Amino acid sequence: MAAAAALEAVAPTGALWGLVQDFVMGQQEGPADQVAADVKSGNYTVLQVVEALGSSLENPEPRTRARGIQLLSQVLLQCHSLLLEKEVVHLILFYENRLKDHHLVIPSVLQGLRALSLCVALPPGLAVSVLKAIFQEVHVQSLPQVDRHTVYSIITNFMRTREEELKGLGADFTFGFIQVMDGEKDPRNLLVAFRIVHDLISRDYSLGPFVEELFEVTSCYFPIDFTPPPNDPHGIQREDLILSLRAVLASTPRFAEFLLPLLIEKVDSEILSAKLDSLQTLNACCAVYGQKELKDFLPSLWASIRREVFQTASERVEAEGLAALNSLTACLSRSVLRADAEDLLDSFLSNILQDCRHHLCEPDMKLVWPSAKLLQAAAGASARACDHITSNVLPLLLEQFHKHSQSNQRRTILEMILGFLKLQQKWSYEDKDERPLSGFKDQLCSLVFMALTDPSTQLQLVGIRTLTVLGAQPDLLSSGDLELAVGHLHRLSFLEEDSQSCRVAALEASGTLATLYPAAFSSHLVPKLAEELCIEESDVARGDGPTKCSRHRRCLQALSAISTQASIVKETLPLLLQHLCQMNKGNTVAGTSEVIAVCQSLQQVAEKCQQDPESCWYFHQTAIPCLLALAVQASMPEKEHSVLKKVLLQDEVLAAMVSVIGTATTHLSPDLAAQSVAHIVPLFLDGNISFLPENSFPGRFQPFQDGSSGQRRLVALLMAFVCSLPRNVEIPQLNQLMRELLELSCCHSCPFSSTAAAKCFAGLLNKHPAGQQLDEFLQLAVDKVEAGLSSGPYRSQAFTLLLWVTKALVLRYHPLSSCLTDRLMGLLSDPELGPAAADGFSLLMSDCTDVLTRAGHAEVRIMFRQRFFTDNVPALVRGFHAAPRDVKPNYLKGLSHVLNRLPKPVLLPELPTLLSLLLEALSCPDSVVQLSTLSCLQPLLLEAPQVMSLHIDTLVTKFLNLSSSPSMLLPYKLQVIRALAKPLDDKKRLVRKEAVSARGEWFLLGSPGS
């Protein structure tokens, strides 16, 4: 028994010895992982590994010793968490002693120490002991890169876990690390070394007398000049090193006396990258510096920044110079002053004013804008700086504005004033009298009003922007100023077409200021616009010319622009609605365009109301009943033939009203939407007109029950409402509504009504939750479609219903969508409906504006186009190949519509497999197919020329055939001209010659005689 036990004990040891020999003497790498795995599984202990390595560790041959220590180190790297404190102590002593060994052994020793630096069981004091040994025994910079990286890793590990012990070394630790890092060149190691230096400073390690040495050992790399080699596997970029070094240099004010002269020197150099890096580093330093550090260098810093902004040809250098000046001023602004200390901010700003102020008096000279930018950069740093500079500069600029009479000079001066006014918005002042602009308010207002009355459009534009900024200053403008401002904006809003930019700017300013001063606009502008509308109504009735018509539209635009607050909306909305009612009274009816203009203004007001629930509900419950009442009144049959009110039933006007109703409904809360739906659905189903204003109509409103064609057209308004409701709003009488819509969708007497009913039915289907009722509705729709498509007068309407139901289901990934899409593909071969079916694929892939929109709460899956492409394009391709020759264009058209609306990243990988079909599509006589196919081929020509080169002969032939019709090519003229610029620089003369000739032909395309 004893002998058997002895054999079992010897067997593992013998196996371990064999693995050690294979690694050390056999130069095999695999045994190291095997030994580590056995140690982790408990088959061996680390002590047994050391014993098995005994002869190797004491071998007189350095390479053998190195292999032995390497094996031990690799085992420790994988098993350091298993070590006991006693084992760690012995191993540390062993490795420290081996640091004195032959240089071939050192790399393996450092790997072992790295493993031990990760040990949780490391006793106190040993971290310091290891680092002292490394500092004393190892000349780190003579080691290869990997081994130097190991040393940095050891230091990093100890700094993370043994911070207090290392701080006990005092400045000796800093000095030791300086010796380790000095001379480092490898970017991989520098990133780690910079991080260690940053931690030394940020974690308050003692730098002792070695501050300058630490600065020198890191600043010698500034500015970073590193270009990563091609295909660098480490992925280190120049920017990584720049940011890492900048974090070190800007981490402590103690570097200031050494760093600032260096930065000034590099800013003054001729190297662009050095200038940028230096200015960015100065910017970062200002976050930690104070007045004490900057005091002696301020004149030189200002001189360098001023020179760069005045003279540089680089916008980036100018921008960084201005940012550095802003940071310098901010630093001086936040420093706490002693009572007897010099105010460096005041003297610094005085120097800036002295060097820049006189240039502001020369609005035509090139230094006027650099000077203004410098002053504004300093003023934007703090409230103190802003007050100081504004109080000095504004009087000068106000004087210069009056001194110069030319509009372009005044515009330059006013733009500078505008820049300083914008800076005032950054700072808040509790006391009204403390505000720097208070003393200049009257002069500023006078100047702005002068600019607004100047004949120069450019000066007017700057005046409008300045007025907006002045108005944004709290409590600055008086009621009289506001009245004048509103008057000017009113005048500018009605400028002629050649001043459209001013008119648009005035409308935008009106909207901004109306948000801040609703009472002023309500009392001064709304009455003027109301009076203007009354005049326009009489002009429309008299049939006055286009000038009156344009004034009418501008008045409507002004009303919608200022409707930014609930209080204003409550005045402007009734005005617009009353105007719409008045336009259709009497014997002369306003034109379609005038009614559409009112609807567009109403829609803009509805959009502005969407952000405020109170305004949104007010608009909805005021505008929707009124619009519905007007439409219902217009749809009523009349005894005498008259065009009165019939304009409201035209397709374009109803489409405009649809936009208003949809916009006013999408943002309703579910509770309020439920209140509204309880009135509107019964209106259409039961003719319940009780909630409509002025509801004494001459007949019944029954759009679904034998109603007139006019009444049926109003189903479009029902569609706009119910298809914009939130999904969780329950629609009353839904079953009846869906059946009525389905019947109307196949009504052949009015295509507009049937299409609106089909869209409404599809919109409700899309939102309806899955379940039995949805399945019933779908079955009814499928039966209706099949019955209509079979024969008879309803084929076109049945096809439209199929198209919209298919789209509703495709958007929500409903299983039935594939069956309906197959039915649609089958119609591509239909002699009557084939072309329409091909165009139907465009509808399926496009975004709608009135129904089935995300804004209208439709269920739209994010990748429905990609899924539709994957599911259906193979079938389209197969159908094309199997189709008769006269039907093939329909398949090509459908395919091109699908491809043309796919996202480009999805389209490009698929195009090569479809290339032969696309080339054939270029021969299709349908111009829509040709244009769509060219749009698909264009990215492939740019992104995959190697694929296209295989078909170059066919492409050239097809393009030549198309070029016989210049109108086909005009959309691509600029694109081709830009693309042909590249071969102009080709190394081959013949290529350059052909490129010049081709570009010349394209330049002439579309010109007379071409």
Side-chain angles (χ1 to χ4, degrees):
M1 292 292 291
L7 285 172
E8 289 177 5
V10 171
T13 307
L16 175 60
W17 188 85
L19 290 170
V20 167
Q21 290 302 305
D22 289 343
F23 183 90
V24 176
M25 307 307 294
Q27 300 295 312
Q28 300 177 25
E29 300 301 326
D33 290 332
Q34 181 61 51
V35 173
D38 288 341
V39 172
K40 283 193 281 189
S41 64
N43 292 339
Y44 312 129
T45 64
V46 174
L47 178 59
Q48 287 176 311
V49 176
V50 174
E51 289 173 348
L53 282 167
S55 59
S56 302
L57 300 178
E58 296 173 357
N59 193 293
E61 174 57 41
R63 296 182 190 279
T64 303
R65 294 199 303 278
R67 286 293 287 179
I69 296 175
Q70 183 183 351
L71 174 60
L72 177 60
S73 297
Q74 289 186 13
V75 171
L76 291 177
L77 280 169
Q78 298 186 52
C79 306
H80 59 81
S81 60
L82 304 176
L83 293 174
L84 302 175
E85 184 175 310
K86 183 178 179 181
E87 293 173 324
V88 173
V89 171
H90 288 297
L91 287 167
I92 289 282
L93 292 174
F94 167 74
Y95 275 109
E96 284 181 1
N97 185 53
R98 290 308 173 107
L99 285 172
K100 303 172 185 178
D101 205 334
H102 193 277
H103 69 88
L104 291 175
V105 178
I106 299 302
S108 299
V109 175
L110 292 173
Q111 287 292 346
L113 288 172
R114 182 166 76 90
L116 293 170
S117 71
L118 297 168
C119 285
V120 179
L122 186 73
L126 287 188
V128 170
S129 175
V130 169
L131 290 180
K132 280 184 175 180
I134 292 174
F135 294 159
Q136 184 175 344
E137 303 295 343
V138 183
H139 183 239
V140 175
Q141 287 306 313
S142 66
L143 298 174
Q145 179 269 328
V146 174
D147 302 323
R148 300 199 305 275
H149 193 277
T150 302
V151 175
Y152 295 128
S153 297
I154 294 170
I155 295 172
T156 300
N157 292 338
F158 283 146
M159 289 180 72
R160 186 175 64 249
T161 60
R162 296 290 189 272
E163 182 174 318
E164 293 305 318
E165 292 181 37
L166 300 191
K167 286 182 177 179
L169 275 172
D172 290 345
F173 176 57
T174 302
F175 179 68
F177 176 73
I178 291 171
Q179 289 181 307
V180 167
M181 181 183 172
D182 194 10
E184 181 60 65
K185 293 182 176 62
D186 191 278
R188 292 165 288 181
N189 291 347
L190 283 174
L191 282 177
V192 184
F194 290 156
R195 193 156 53 243
I196 292 173
V197 177
H198 183 268
D199 289 345
L200 279 173
I201 296 168
S202 63
R203 297 181 184 177
D204 293 324
Y205 282 80
S206 173
L207 306 185
F210 304 116
V211 174
E212 185 173 0
E213 285 78 2
L214 188 61
F215 172 78
E216 292 294 340
V217 83
T218 51
S219 65
C220 63
Y221 302 100
F222 183 86
I224 294 289
D225 183 18
F226 167 68
T227 303
N231 303 318
D232 179 20
H234 306 289
I236 296 176
Q237 300 297 316
R238 179 170 176 267
E239 192 66 19
D240 299 329
L241 291 165
I242 288 174
L243 295 176
S244 188
L245 176 57
R246 185 177 299 153
V248 172
L249 298 177
S251 60
T252 174
R254 299 173 70 180
F255 282 168
E257 60 179 306
F258 316 113
L259 177 59
L260 291 175
L262 175 64
L263 295 180
I264 293 168
E265 175 192 338
K266 299 300 181 184
V267 170
D268 295 343
S269 72
E270 299 299 319
I271 303 171
L272 179 64
S273 60
K275 291 177 183 288
L276 288 170
D277 201 353
S278 301
L279 290 168
Q280 290 167 350
T281 303
L282 174 60
N283 197 342
C285 289
C286 289
V288 296
Y289 287 4
Q291 288 199 5
K292 183 180 72 171
E293 288 77 28
L294 294 173
K295 180 178 180 181
D296 296 335
F297 302 97
L298 284 175
S300 300
L301 288 168
W302 162 239
S304 296
I305 292 172
R306 180 190 62 208
R307 182 173 54 254
E308 292 308 318
V309 175
F310 276 177
Q311 299 178 5
T312 186
S314 167
E315 292 183 3
R316 288 184 63 198
V317 172
E318 179 189 273
E320 295 298 342
L322 295 173
L325 178 60
N326 181 275
S327 297
L328 276 173
T329 310
C331 178
L332 297 176
S333 300
R334 67 173 172 265
S335 298
V336 179
L337 294 175
R338 300 192 312 274
D340 58 343
E342 177 188 1
D343 187 353
L344 289 179
L345 176 64
D346 189 67
S347 58
F348 184 62
L349 295 178
S350 297
N351 287 336
I352 296 174
L353 284 163
Q354 181 180 346
D355 291 344
C356 296
R357 197 171 182 271
H358 60 282
H359 293 302
L360 302 183
C361 302
E362 304 164 342
D364 293 327
M365 304 303 286
K366 70 174 186 177
L367 291 182
V368 62
W369 273 115
S371 298
K373 288 177 181 177
L374 286 165
L375 288 165
Q376 288 169 6
S382 68
R384 279 181 64 204
C386 194
D387 292 353
H388 186 111
I389 290 178
T390 301
S391 60
N392 279 274
V393 169
L394 265 188
L396 175 66
L397 291 176
L398 290 168
E399 177 188 340
Q400 292 299 314
F401 185 89
H402 294 289
K403 185 179 289 187
H404 292 84
S405 57
Q406 293 184 18
S407 295
N408 62 334
Q409 295 173 326
R410 286 187 161 187
R411 186 192 72 191
T412 300
I413 296 167
L414 187 56
E415 283 183 334
M416 289 190 285
I417 292 174
L418 176 60
F420 288 103
L421 293 179
K422 285 181 177 178
L423 294 174
Q424 290 288 333
Q425 294 177 306
K426 293 177 65 175
W427 319 112
S428 58
Y429 300 89
E430 295 181 2
D431 189 346
K432 182 178 178 180
D433 296 331
E434 288 182 3
R435 293 175 186 147
L437 295 183
S438 299
F440 304 106
K441 190 265 292 182
D442 292 337
Q443 293 171 274
L444 285 169
C445 288
S446 171
L447 178 146
V448 168
F449 296 148
M450 286 177 65
L452 295 179
T453 54
D454 193 274
S456 166
T457 300
Q458 296 302 316
L459 182 54
Q460 287 179 352
L461 283 170
V462 182
I464 292 170
R465 286 159 49 206
T466 308
L467 175 62
T468 306
V469 173
L470 275 179
Q473 299 288 331
D475 302 322
L476 182 67
L477 299 182
S478 66
S479 57
D481 298 328
L482 286 171
E483 185 174 356
L484 284 172
V486 169
H488 283 294
L489 290 174
H490 173 248
R491 176 180 55 80
L492 293 169
S493 299
F494 285 84
L495 290 175
E496 297 303 320
E497 289 297 332
D498 56 352
S499 300
Q500 184 177 359
S501 57
C502 263
R503 189 162 49 81
V504 172
L507 290 173
E508 186 178 342
S510 297
T512 303
L513 294 176
T515 305
L516 301 170
Y517 306 101
F521 279 81
S522 292
S523 57
H524 301 305
L525 185 56
V526 173
K528 290 182 180 179
L529 295 176
E531 182 181 347
E532 192 85 37
L533 276 183
C534 291
I535 297 173
E536 301 304 335
E537 286 162 9
S538 59
D539 291 337
V540 168
R542 289 196 306 270
D544 282 0
T547 303
K548 296 295 184 182
C549 181
S550 63
R551 284 191 66 84
H552 170 249
R553 296 193 181 184
R554 287 167 194 169
C555 182
L556 296 175
Q557 289 169 353
L559 279 170
S560 60
I562 63 173
S563 300
T564 56
Q565 293 279 19
S567 59
I568 302 180
V569 171
K570 288 177 180 176
E571 297 186 39
T572 57
L573 180 58
L575 267 179
L576 289 169
L577 294 174
Q578 181 185 4
H579 178 59
L580 187 60
C581 296
Q582 293 296 326
M583 289 174 72
N584 291 285
K585 287 187 177 177
N587 293 321
T588 304
V589 182
T592 302
S593 59
E594 284 77 19
V595 178
I596 291 176
V598 179
C599 290
Q600 288 172 342
S601 292
L602 285 170
Q603 183 187 357
Q604 291 164 8
V605 176
E607 288 173 354
K608 290 181 170 64
C609 290
Q610 285 179 341
Q611 306 308 316
D612 176 33
E614 179 191 350
S615 300
C616 186
W617 178 235
Y618 171 76
F619 184 97
H620 185 88
Q621 66 177 351
T622 304
I624 306 303
C626 180
L627 290 176
L628 289 174
L630 284 172
V632 169
Q633 178 70 46
S635 70
M636 292 294 168
E638 303 206 11
K639 295 178 181 178
E640 296 181 5
H641 177 70
S642 170
V643 293
L644 180 64
K645 307 166 188 163
K646 296 306 177 186
V647 69
L648 287 175
L649 300 180
Q650 293 182 11
D651 293 1
E652 300 90 338
V653 175
L654 285 174
M657 294 174 72
V658 163
S659 296
V660 178
I661 294 173
T663 306
T665 306
T666 55
H667 282 62
L668 286 181
S669 68
D671 292 342
L672 295 177
Q675 293 182 36
S676 190
V677 77
H679 293 298
I680 293 178
V681 171
L683 166 67
F684 282 85
L685 290 179
D686 307 325
N688 184 352
I689 59 174
S690 59
F691 80 104
L692 298 180
E694 301 181 13
N695 53 18
S696 56
F697 302 124
R700 292 200 62 184
F701 180 62
Q702 296 177 313
F704 292 118
Q705 289 86 31
D706 301 323
S708 66
S709 171
Q711 291 190 3
R712 286 197 295 270
R713 296 173 70 81
L714 300 193
V715 172
L717 305 185
L718 172 67
M719 172 202 75
F721 173 70
V722 296
C723 292
S724 300
L725 292 169
R727 284 188 224 170
N728 56 350
V729 174
E730 184 177 348
I731 297 176
Q733 301 172 267
L734 178 62
N735 190 54
Q736 180 187 351
L737 176 63
M738 295 294 275
R739 292 173 184 274
E740 296 286 7
L741 289 170
L742 205 52
E743 285 299 320
L744 183 57
S745 68
C746 288
C747 171
H748 71 284
S749 60
C750 180
F752 181 87
S753 304
S754 60
T755 301
K759 290 164 73 173
C760 187
F761 183 84
L764 292 172
L765 269 185
N766 174 268
K767 294 182 187 180
H768 199 288
Q772 182 180 354
Q773 190 176 37
L774 176 63
D775 295 340
E776 291 175 0
F777 291 151
L778 287 172
Q779 189 59 53
L780 287 172
V782 170
D783 294 343
K784 195 73 175 177
V785 166
E786 292 301 336
L789 289 176
S790 59
S791 62
Y794 309 124
R795 292 198 78 210
S796 176
Q797 287 79 3
F799 168 74
T800 302
L801 176 63
L802 168 65
L803 201 56
W804 282 103
V805 171
T806 304
K807 182 174 180 65
L809 300 185
V810 165
L811 292 178
R812 65 180 281 178
Y813 290 179
H814 192 280
L816 186 61
S817 63
S818 57
C819 299
L820 296 182
T821 306
D822 291 342
R823 185 71 177 92
L824 183 63
M825 282 190 204
L827 291 174
L828 290 171
S829 304
D830 188 280
E832 178 188 353
L833 297 176
D839 285 328
F841 284 91
S842 174
L843 175 67
L844 295 182
M845 297 291 283
S846 303
D847 289 325
C848 300
T849 57
D850 47 3
V851 293
L852 298 174
T853 64
R854 286 190 173 90
H857 311 286
E859 186 175 353
V860 182
R861 306 292 282 271
I862 58 173
M863 298 181 71
F864 78 90
R865 291 184 179 86
Q866 290 89 320
R867 178 165 177 169
F868 188 87
F869 170 85
T870 305
D871 292 347
N872 297 291
V873 164
L876 277 171
V877 174
R878 289 194 301 271
F880 168 81
H881 290 302
R885 187 172 187 82
D886 60 333
V887 176
K888 285 182 184 290
N890 293 340
Y891 283 90
L892 287 175
K893 193 173 188 179
L895 178 64
S896 66
H897 283 316
V898 174
L899 297 180
N900 207 29
R901 283 168 176 78
L902 269 184
K904 288 291 185 287
V906 180
L907 175 63
L908 281 174
E910 305 293 340
L911 279 180
T913 59
L914 300 168
L915 191 54
S916 59
L917 273 182
L918 291 173
L919 293 176
E920 187 160 346
L922 290 176
S923 302
C924 181
D926 192 320
S927 61
V928 175
V929 176
Q930 293 172 348
L931 277 172
S932 181
T933 305
L934 287 171
S935 299
C936 293
L937 287 174
Q938 184 261 338
L940 197 61
L941 286 165
L942 295 176
E943 304 289 339
Q946 68 284 356
V947 176
M948 302 303 288
S949 63
L950 302 175
H951 303 270
I952 190 68
D953 293 339
T954 308
L955 280 168
V956 170
T957 304
K958 300 285 187 184
F959 290 162
L960 285 173
N961 292 335
L962 288 175
S963 65
S964 61
S965 174
S967 61
M968 286 294 304
L969 298 177
L970 280 175
Y972 302 92
K973 179 177 177 179
L974 294 177
Q975 197 172 314
V976 173
I977 289 172
R978 283 196 296 267
L980 286 172
K982 187 175 182 180
L984 292 177
D985 296 325
D986 195 271
K987 61 183 179 181
K988 295 182 179 179
R989 185 185 66 82
L990 189 59
V991 173
R992 296 197 301 272
K993 179 182 175 183
E994 292 299 325
V996 169
S997 175
R999 275 188 115 218
E1001 294 292 336
W1002 277 90
F1003 270 120
L1004 293 173
L1005 184 69
S1007 59
S1010 64

